[in-house]
Amino acid sequence: MNDIDMHPVIKYTFPEWTSTIFAENPFDFNIMNNGMRYGLVWAMAPRHYNASLDEALTQPLSKYVAELIRIRKKHADILFTGRFMDTLGATVKCGGNSRFSVFESMNEKQGRL
């Protein structure tokens, strides 16, 4: 899935809803990245529900997603239950193919982005 294919319309229209993004192939790193970037629920169905996360080809993706989960748990109030701000409030100076999103805590007292 290319970034061009990803339009978080639901995040704008219904910010309280959470959608799911699926990884079915051992090399769906970009799909998992988009899930993090848009605050989506990850679903993994290796080889279209015919394999395991422990399969040799899928193990690198499984380990990568475990790290994404660790990061998201640590910052869940922002990255998962926070308010999606698209790219508002941040400027990132790096390569032209770098993608990012901004979230803010729904807890007004924290004010974290």
Side-chain angles (χ1 to χ4, degrees), residues 41-53:
V41 172
W42 293 300
M44 294 183 70
R47 298 193 185 256
H48 305 276
Y49 300 95
N50 290 308
S52 165
L53 293 173

Side-chain angles (χ1 to χ4, degrees), residues 1-109:
M1 178 180 293
N2 295 326
D3 294 323
I4 295 169
D5 300 327
M6 195 70 204
H7 301 287
V9 174
I10 289 180
K11 285 289 191 185
Y12 295 112
T13 311
F14 303 104
E16 68 279 6
W17 288 10
T18 303
S19 298
T20 303
I21 194 163
F22 285 85
E24 298 175 321
N25 297 303
F27 307 105
D28 283 345
F29 291 89
N30 197 38
I31 289 173
M32 296 291 101
N33 288 338
N34 280 332
M36 176 70 99
R37 190 158 53 109
Y38 294 115
L40 306 176
V41 172
W42 293 300
M44 294 183 70
R47 298 193 185 256
H48 305 276
Y49 300 95
N50 290 308
S52 165
L53 293 173
D54 196 34
E55 177 190 33
L57 278 175
T58 308
Q59 283 181 2
L61 180 63
S62 297
K63 291 176 184 174
Y64 186 75
V65 171
E67 182 63 12
L68 292 177
I69 290 168
R70 185 194 65 76
I71 293 166
R72 184 182 271 177
K73 279 184 177 181
K74 184 176 179 179
H75 305 285
D77 63 313
I78 298 171
L79 296 175
F80 193 62
T81 59
R83 182 179 294 114
F84 176 72
M85 303 294 293
D86 199 357
T87 58
L88 301 174
T91 302
V92 176
K93 295 180 181 181
C94 53
N97 291 322
S98 296
R99 305 288 183 249
F100 67 96
S101 292
V102 175
F103 291 83
E104 70 178 2
S105 175
M106 296 288 256
N107 182 346
E108 307 261 337
K109 294 177 185 175

